[in-house]
Every structure is written in structure tokens, then in C-alpha cells.
Amino acid sequence: VASGGGVAVPSPAAMEAAELQVGFVGAGRMAGGLARGLLRAGKVPAGSILASAPSDKNLDAWRESGCRTTHCNLEVLQESTLVFLATKPHVLPGVLQEIRPAVGPHHIIVSLVAGVTLQTLQRVLPAGTKVLRLMPNLPCVVQAGAMVFARGSGVGDNEATLLKSLLSSCGLCEEIPESYINIHTGLSGSGVAYVYLFAEALAEGAVKMGMPGSLASRIAAQTLLGAAKMMLETGEHPAKLRGDVCTPGGTTIHALHQLEKGALRATVMSAVEAATNRARDMAED
Amino acid sequence: AGVLAAHKITASSPDTDLPTVSGLRKMGVNFTVSNKDTVKSSDVLFLAVKPPIIPFILEEVGPDIEARHIVVSCAAGVTISSIEKKLSAFCPTPKVIRCMTNTPVIVREGATVYATGTHADVEDGKLLEQLMASVGFCTEVEEDLIDAVTGLSGSGPAYAFTALDALADGGVKMGLPRRLAVRLGAQALLGAAKMLLESEQHPGQLKDNVCSPGGATIHALHFLESGGFRSLLINAVEASCIRTRELQHVADQEKISPAAIKKTLLDKVKLESPSLSVASASKVSLFTSKSSSS
């Protein structure tokens, strides 16, 4: 199958990731995060990345990283095999109409657009187009992201495996049923903000007790990082890990009692619930 | 539990009208109104009176304590040293064990801990452990943990009964007949406790195992967490433990108001222990007698 530029594009399954041409329609924060993650992991050379955006405002940073940029969405489809759709939701319908003529069976279209279902995407794009939906989170930028993706009806195991292997360079990447995507938003998309809030509060507690703020902040962050790392590496239940830290009558159990008194657990559950519900509501808009 | 034949057990109480008295009698236990008789016919002596009464009892039975006796106090908050101090007026090396148990010993699912005193041997502790293990779980601990045990498993059955009552209310609210609701609630707690005791897994993991994503249980748990369920339980254990320590402090001061003891018992004690002197109305000091030099 020849692309508009006259370059023969082999099937994705046969391609090494390094030969893959990756495109981004929309060059905002999330797209930038993903691209930066891919680049830092060395999975895709900057020259293989092409991003489009209406203005240069966002594109400068991409060029600085060595990526190619354009103002023409169609060009991204023509030059790339793996195409990330990363526009704002209200812009997407117009963009889909625009790129539709250039979409072919060799493309792998991955939508990052919040609230737009696979059903919608498949309805607008040519029948049989390989479409996936991806919900990343911001720490993809530092290769510690949490990403979930759901595959559309035209997608086979090869494409799913390719995407997963590519994105694993940015953090944790799991395939899920589409219905989990909103939950992932509540848990991890927005969840990153909950953690920042908690870190800020930890540091503030330390400041109250006499520690300088910037030191407290760095230690707070490292504490969260270390605890998370232990969870991921030991695979042990967090309740068990929590117990391991609690010497009888010691400092930790006293502190935990304060957290329980404040019903922290319930509040966090409510936060995840609220964000998930909002994601669901917004999707129906 | 078949560990001891009924006729080898003697129990005494000044008040023979108590329902427990007839229960004990029916079991074939020897019953007497004389504490002294109980001591004389026993090797292992369980002091099962309320904490403020302990000093009185010790004063009363002290002269009859011999080297062979193992004195086991089940009184919340009463320290080994306070008992030893009292008894050493009568016996140079009294064997004292302090224990904390709980009411489910009745159904042989008790939770008991014990700490051995200065003169109690390893075998004495093991004897008690053997007795108490026949009615549930029993283990030795350092004495300074016993107040915490009181807060947790001593008072624990009361927390469970409260929970069960409320669970049953929940069941009734949603349409279950009361009897069935109580039965099912109790069985659910019994089953959960058994699972935990038999499992290597953390209770948090066991909880997760019950919570299907988006299901009924996780919705219910959210309510529990919102109400601060966990912190309430932590508060309860803490409050009970602290109160136990307060009681110990009161007992240690060895001052007790006459209002704390029934007049009949006070009179009886005065009768049997002429060496005990009773001060004026506001407080009774126990140790004005010759024995206070210990």
C-alpha cells in the first residue's frame, strides 16, 4: 500500500518499532508527554515523529526535540502508520472528517480524546479501520505513566502487542475493556492530582513541625515514590506493607489512627468515584 | 472441655442468690460461702472478683495461702506486684499469675493471656496455659501488654455483640425476620473470624477477595469507611485499655470507698479479719494493719 508520499509502508507487524513512523494529530500536553516518553526511552527516533497542530505555539517544543511538525493533519496520516489523535474533544469531529480520506487499512489509529468512544470513532472512520482508545496519564513524560487501552473491532493481537510494547516505555500499559477507561480516569488520570495534594499536605505537616519547605517537599515525593516502588516490586498487599511499618505503640500507628479518624479512605474512594462519574457524564455530552 | 472433673472445682461467693451459683451447683461444682474453705481445698486459686475487691480478698485469704498455691488473678488492671506485695505479708514466696481472659471461654472459644509473677515457675505457667487452652486460645505475654489485651479481646466480645445487633437491625430493615437476621449475622462473623485464623492472608486481602468490582460489598464498605468505622474500633480498644490502666492506678492507691463494696461483704470481711481496721466514712485504707510492713 503506498502512502501519499510514494513510500511503501510494510505491515506494522513486520516492523521494528524503530522503523515505525509515528504521528500525532494535536500537539498538546498529553501528546507531548507521550512523545517525550517515547523519545526518552529511545523507542522511536525523533525523526520518525511528526506532529500537527493549528498554531506553532505547541509545536516549538516538538521541533526542539528533533521531531518534525506540520500544520496539515492530512500530512500526518500520509506520513505515519501509527497515528495518535490528541485533539480536544470538541475539535475531533471536524478533524475526523478531514483525515478520513487518507485513512487506510495499514493505519493504526489511537485516540487519546477523552470521552469519545470506539463506537463513535469506528462510525466516522472507514469501515475496518484499526482503532484503539488510549487513556494515559501525565507521568508518561517521565516514563512512569499508567496507561490503559481498549481495542476496536478491527484490531488484532499484533497491533495490540505493538502498541503495548511501544507504550511500556512510558510506564505501565495494560489492555482493558473499554468500560474501564472512565474508571482509569478517576483512579489514575485524575489520580495524579490526588497524590500531589497528599504530598503537599505531608510536606506542610513537616513544615509545621519545623522542617524547611523545599526539603520537606523533596522528602515527601521520595516517600511516595519509595512506597509505590515497594508495592510494585514486592507485589504484596498494601495492608500488609502498612502493617510491616507499624511497630506496636509506635509513631506510625499513632499517625494512622489520625488518618482513620479523618476517614481518609472513604474520602479517597469518593474522589475516584466523583472523577469517574464526571468522565462518564462528559462522555455522553 | 473435660480437663477437670467438676468435683475438683470449688467456688465461693458471699452472695448465694446469684444465678451463677445455682448454675455452678448444677454442674457438680463444690460450692461454699467461705472464701477460706475454697483456698484450703484448692491448689490453683482463681481470683474472680471485681478489681476493687481484690485487696480485701487477699487480706482475707492471705493467712491460708501456702507455698503450693498458685494464685491466678483475672482482675482487670490489678498488677502482679500489687498482689505479691499483699500476699508476701503472709507467705514469703507467693506464686502469682495474672491473666486476662474473655467471656467466650463459656463456649470454649476464649482468648486468654497470662503473665507469671516473680515466684511462679515455668511449670505453673504451663499448668495455667493447659487449663485455659482447653477453653480457647491461650498464650503467655509480658505483663505490660495485658491492659492492651483487655482493650482488644477482653472487651472485644462486647464490640462484636454491638456490631451483631446492628447488623441484625440492618437485615430487619431490609426485610429479614429478626431471628434469622441474628443467626446469619453471627454466622457471618464467625465464618469470617475462622477464615482469618485459618488463613495466611492479611485481613485486607481477605476483604478484597469478597469485593467484586462495582459490586454490593464495595458499596457497603464505602459507607463503613465514611463513618470512620476503622477509627471507631481503634478508639474503642484504646479507651478500654486506658480505662484499665486507670483502674489499676486506683487499685494501686489502695484506697477504696465503702460505696464500692456491698455493705454485707465489708461486714463479713471485718468479721473474718480482725486485723483489718476500717477508717472513717470517706475512705477505707486496707493497710493500716500489722501486715503493712511488707
Side-chain angles (χ1 to χ4, degrees):
Chain A
V1 176
S3 73
V7 176
V9 179
S11 83
M15 241 189 282
E16 296 290 332
E19 297 168 354
L20 194 60
Q21 296 298 313
V22 180
F24 286 83
V25 176
R29 194 166 31 216
M30 205 56 250
L34 268 184
R36 225 164 300 150
L38 289 173
L39 286 176
R40 276 174 73 152
K43 274 293 175 108
V44 181
S48 299
I49 298 181
L50 172 63
S52 68
S55 77
D56 270 333
K57 184 179 58 170
N58 286 333
L59 293 176
D60 288 337
W62 293 73
R63 276 195 296 270
E64 274 160 36
S65 310
C67 303
R68 290 147 46 229
T69 63
T70 172
H71 294 303
C72 175
N73 294 334
L74 268 177
E75 192 182 332
V76 174
L77 270 295
Q78 288 156 355
E79 300 286 325
S80 314
T81 311
L82 176 63
V83 177
F84 290 94
L85 302 178
T87 70
K88 290 260 185 303
H90 66 274
V91 169
L92 186 67
V95 168
L96 286 175
Q97 290 301 329
E98 185 192 339
I99 63 174
R100 194 182 185 284
V103 173
H106 65 285
H107 277 118
I108 305 172
I109 309 288
V110 182
S111 166
L112 275 67
V113 182
V116 179
T117 61
L118 285 167
Q119 189 183 46
T120 303
L121 293 162
Q122 285 167 173
R123 193 168 28 91
V124 177
L125 293 170
T129 305
K130 302 192 193 72
V131 182
L132 300 106
R133 243 186 107 183
L134 173 70
M135 174 56 61
N137 70 354
L138 275 175
C140 290
V141 177
V142 293
Q143 295 160 262
M147 295 156 280
V148 296
F149 69 91
R151 62 168 95 175
S153 41
V155 175
D157 288 342
N158 288 335
E159 290 81 41
T161 306
L162 172 69
L163 188 66
K164 185 166 177 174
S165 115
L166 208 61
L167 293 178
S168 295
S169 63
C170 297
L172 177 74
C173 184
E174 299 283 352
E175 182 175 357
I176 44 118
E178 192 179 8
S179 61
Y180 291 3
I181 288 192
N182 293 324
I183 308 171
H184 179 75
T185 304
L187 167 61
S188 185
S190 299
V192 177
Y194 321 157
V195 178
Y196 293 145
L197 188 151
F198 189 64
E200 198 180 346
L202 278 175
E204 227 155 20
V207 170
K208 178 178 177 182
M209 302 318 292
M211 184 183 278
S214 62
L215 177 62
S217 208
R218 286 206 324 278
I219 295 178
Q222 185 68 21
T223 305
L224 289 166
L225 175 65
K229 202 164 177 186
M230 284 198 67
M231 266 184 74
L232 288 170
E233 285 189 11
T234 65
E236 290 190 317
H237 197 283
K240 168 158 194 309
L241 290 169
R242 172 173 47 89
D244 288 345
V245 187
C246 292
T247 6
T251 62
T252 311
I253 192 68
H254 274 73
L256 284 175
H257 192 185
Q258 291 303 316
L259 292 175
E260 298 289 6
K261 282 182 188 171
L264 176 67
R265 293 173 184 261
T267 310
V268 171
M269 285 176 78
S270 298
V272 174
E273 187 173 347
T276 304
N277 285 338
R278 184 68 183 138
R280 287 175 180 160
D281 290 344
M282 285 171 71
E284 284 161 28
D285 287 346
Chain B
V3 158
L4 223 47
H7 66 269
K8 291 204 169 174
I9 302 178
T10 307
S12 56
S13 163
D15 186 349
T16 52
D17 287 337
L18 294 170
T20 40
V21 170
S22 53
L24 284 168
R25 277 194 167 127
K26 277 194 205 138
M27 274 189 260
V29 164
N30 300 313
F31 185 80
T32 167
V33 294
S34 161
N35 292 335
K36 285 168 127 34
D37 284 349
T38 301
V39 174
K40 285 179 183 147
S41 58
S42 308
D43 303 305
V44 179
L45 184 67
F46 282 91
L47 302 182
V49 296
K50 294 227 178 344
I53 312 290
I54 288 279
F56 283 96
I57 293 297
L58 293 175
E59 188 70 37
E60 181 191 347
V61 305
D64 298 302
I65 297 288
E66 295 169 27
R68 72 164 201 282
H69 280 114
I70 304 172
V71 177
V72 182
S73 164
C74 308
V78 179
T79 58
I80 292 174
S81 72
S82 69
I83 299 171
E84 285 177 346
K85 187 165 140 197
K86 200 80 185 70
L87 287 178
S88 56
F90 307 100
C91 171
T93 55
K95 293 184 197 227
V96 178
I97 302 182
R98 178 179 173 188
C99 106
M100 170 50 55
T101 182
N102 66 358
T103 49
V105 286
I106 296 174
V107 292
R108 297 171 57 201
E109 287 293 357
T112 309
V113 301
Y114 68 95
T116 50
T118 325
H119 311 290
D121 305 320
V122 170
E123 300 87 54
D124 301 326
K126 289 297 165 195
L127 172 63
L128 179 69
E129 187 169 323
Q130 203 185 356
L131 286 174
M132 297 311 290
S134 69
V135 290
F137 171 73
C138 179
T139 190
E140 184 173 11
V141 296
E142 295 297 318
E143 190 184 7
D144 61 0
L145 297 184
I146 293 190
D147 296 330
V149 173
T150 308
L152 172 58
S153 57
S155 300
Y159 316 154
F161 293 138
T162 307
L164 286 167
D165 202 8
L167 284 170
D169 278 345
V172 168
K173 179 175 177 183
M174 302 320 289
L176 296 178
R178 169 72 56 175
R179 273 181 72 108
L180 180 62
V182 171
R183 185 71 185 76
L184 291 173
Q187 187 66 31
L189 289 196
L190 174 65
K194 200 163 180 186
M195 277 182 77
L196 179 57
L197 288 172
E198 291 182 8
S199 163
E200 301 276 302
Q201 293 186 311
H202 193 284
Q205 180 65 62
L206 292 171
K207 163 184 59 83
D208 285 359
N209 295 346
V210 187
C211 291
S212 10
T217 310
I218 190 71
H219 274 72
L221 277 181
H222 194 184
F223 267 98
L224 286 181
E225 296 290 2
S226 298
F229 184 59
R230 292 173 185 257
S231 79
L232 285 180
L233 291 171
I234 298 173
N235 292 345
V237 174
E238 187 176 42
S240 172
C241 177
I242 289 174
R243 181 62 183 152
T244 304
R245 290 177 187 154
E246 280 173 16
L247 290 173
Q248 173 204 307
H249 185 63
V250 165
D252 275 352
Q253 292 183 337
E254 299 173 355
K255 290 177 170 47
I256 188 147
S257 84
I261 332 170
K262 285 196 258 197
K263 178 136 197 332
T264 50
L265 177 57
L266 189 56
D267 288 342
K268 196 176 170 308
V269 171
K270 279 157 65 180
L271 261 168
E272 302 218 0
S273 306
S275 58
L276 178 69
S277 65
V278 179
S280 63
S282 55
K283 54 181 190 274
V284 176
S285 173
L286 295 170
F287 304 113
T288 57
S289 65
K290 55 166 169 53
S291 58
S292 62
S293 56
S294 65

